[in-house]
Amino acid sequence: MIQIKDLYKSFGGNQVLKGVNLEVPRGSTSVIIGGSGSGKSVLMKHMLGLLKPDSGQVIVDGEDVTGFGERKMVQVRGKFGMVFQQSALFDSMNVGENVAFPLREHRKELKDPEIKKIVAEKLAIVDLTGIEHLMPSELSGGMRKRVGLARAVVLDPKILLYDEPTTGLDPISTNAVDEMIMSAQERLGITSVVISHDIASSFRVATHVAMLFEGVLVDQGSPDELRKSKHPYVNEFLSTWFDR
Ligand SMILES: Nc1ncnc2c1ncn2[C@@H]1O[C@H](COP(=O)(O)OP(=O)(O)O)[C@@H](O)[C@H]1O
Ligand SMILES: [Mg+2]
């Protein structure tokens, strides 16, 4: 679904990505792990065309989008749903209005009853049926994340991007978010890319893991393969989490 080929990106003298190669298979949940500041968000922004590489290629759904201008990139971005670190709900709108927001922006032909029906369907997917009337301030952290997911899938994207979905959550909410990522894959058959420094959570949800270190993906594979990695940094990074 996404291919990154030999991607380089620097900011001034700061070389952040130094030849990243990544394949995100259709229907997979691919997790990119790496320390804080290693360039995970920079890599994700290239998938959305919010940043352009110094060299290398970004291919989305079979289309080389590297040279696309803003107008064409807007269309490509329609294939993506984003789940942000802070769930980024609008505090002044209730849950129903939050989830409906992308529909009101992009599907202006839809009438109110149709919008209500789609919103109810998406809330059911995240096991939050009937909470349209609640305000974001009345929700727990985990519930806010799930509402954020309902909103992210409301336009039926092909790919879901999660940037640090469990950062700052307590263990129970972290579990709920992990369940949510897995059920999005099972129920929607969607391709997910998750960026995280939370190893335990990453290994629970991933079908494919890649480790970003010093500007390259030093190792990638199934969670089991990565656990047995020969790469010294991967070993060190994982050893704090797994008794290996
Ligand atoms: N727009 C930008 N301009 C300049 N430097 C940036 C920009 N975005 C990210 N960086 C730098 O790139 C590096 C990686 O950042 P980031 O991708 O946010 O890390 P993380 O892995 O924590 O998500 C950092 O050194 C950061 O300062
Ligand atoms: Mg980041």
Side-chain angles (χ1 to χ4, degrees), residues 69-88:
E70 191 54 26
R71 203 167 46 85
K72 284 173 96 176
M73 221 41 235
V74 168
Q75 283 171 354
V76 176
R77 274 180 219 134
K79 297 183 182 191
F80 289 91
M82 275 291 308
V83 183
F84 298 98
Q85 184 163 345
Q86 295 81 15
S87 37

Side-chain angles (χ1 to χ4, degrees), residues 35-42 44-45 85 163-164 195-197:
S36 179
S38 59
K40 302 182 298 297
S41 294
V42 167
M44 186 173 267
K45 284 177 185 161
Q85 184 163 345
D163 194 349
E164 305 277 0
I195 278 183
S196 183
H197 62 253

Side-chain angles (χ1 to χ4, degrees), residues 38-76:
S38 59
K40 302 182 298 297
S41 294
V42 167
L43 179 56
M44 186 173 267
K45 284 177 185 161
H46 280 85
M47 296 176 186
L48 294 165
L50 296 172
L51 288 172
K52 290 294 182 188
D54 299 334
S55 64
Q57 280 176 296
V58 179
I59 296 156
V60 176
D61 201 11
E63 194 170 40
D64 185 345
V65 304
T66 319
F68 277 20
E70 191 54 26
R71 203 167 46 85
K72 284 173 96 176
M73 221 41 235
V74 168
Q75 283 171 354
V76 176

